[in-house]
Every structure is written in structure tokens, then in C-alpha cells.
Amino acid sequence: RQTTYKTAVGIRISSQDAVVNHSISYKYFFSPTVAGEALFSFSDPAAIGILIEKHTSFGPPGISWFWGGGPYVGFGGGRNFGIQGVGGLDFLFPSLPINLSIDWKPELNFTKQFSFEPAAVGLSARFAF
């Protein structure tokens, strides 16, 4: 049986070049395979990103790979609105309420400075419940 969780809250450490970089992460599963993740970034610029993610079991219990995307908005700086994709691996420890994930989250910025950031990678650590 695949180990699952419904909600997780923690931090995401990311590459600095992304608009939505170091963040507070809140992840909620709407179904066993579809999650929404909100990212609240307080660096310069401050930003909020929303991701809808499709999760699929991968390997031993507790591991899944995921992909998805969604919009973001930044408050300040030269880039302040765009879309982001995401793909990565998610792991829930079998006997601890700790969730870890590693992801690639490229961003396409639409306003002020139209650009693409392909090198946005991150590591998240969350408390799962």
C-alpha cells in the first residue's frame, strides 16, 4: 500500500534566480493523486505561487513522482506575473510525519521583463498530517 498524507506544511529552499524561490510551502491533496500547493516567498520580490500537481506512485511505498503547474504573482522587482511548471519526486517517511521533495520548477515571466527561468530547482521539507 502506498503511504499517503492529506496536508503538509514546511519550507522550500530554491535557486535564487526564480521569482518564487525560498518559500513557505502548504500542500493539500484534493484526491489521492491530485494536490494543490501554495508557495509564499518572502525574498525580493515577495511572491505567491499556486501549483496543481498530479502524483503517481513510484518505487517503494511513500515515493511518488509529480508534475503540474500554475500561476504566480510577485510584489516588487522587475518581474511580477507568470506561469510555472513543476516536476519532481515526493517522499513520505513510513514511520515519521516528515515529507521531503525535490523538484524542477521553470518559470515563464510575462510582465515588465518577459523571460524564461529554466534553472529553478528546489528542495522541500514539510510536516505531514
Side-chain angles (χ1 to χ4, degrees):
R1 167 169 126 57
Q2 181 73 26
T3 304
T4 60
Y5 60 96
K6 185 74 171 174
T7 305
V9 177
I11 61 169
R12 180 176 182 275
I13 305 301
S14 176
S15 60
Q16 280 286 56
D17 294 332
V19 173
V20 181
N21 52 52
H22 307 311
S23 307
I24 294 172
S25 169
Y26 174 80
K27 187 179 251 188
Y28 177 80
F29 277 86
F30 299 107
S31 74
T33 61
V34 177
E37 183 174 4
L39 299 171
F40 305 98
S41 181
F42 297 103
S43 57
D44 186 21
I48 298 172
I50 302 295
L51 296 164
I52 301 299
E53 302 168 350
K54 171 71 173 158
H55 285 249
T56 303
S57 296
F58 176 76
I63 297 178
S64 65
W65 69 275
F66 63 93
W67 59 272
Y72 71 86
V73 61
F75 305 98
R79 303 170 291 180
N80 61 16
F81 177 74
I83 58 172
Q84 55 193 344
V86 69
L89 290 173
D90 190 82
F91 175 71
L92 178 66
F93 285 92
S95 58
L96 297 172
I98 304 296
N99 164 247
L100 300 175
S101 66
I102 186 166
D103 64 62
W104 174 57
K105 190 180 69 60
E107 297 177 343
L108 181 61
N109 306 295
F110 292 137
T111 57
K112 293 192 181 181
Q113 189 180 77
F114 187 83
S115 63
F116 177 64
E117 176 52 59
V121 295
L123 175 64
S124 299
R126 302 180 196 93
F127 177 75
F129 48 98

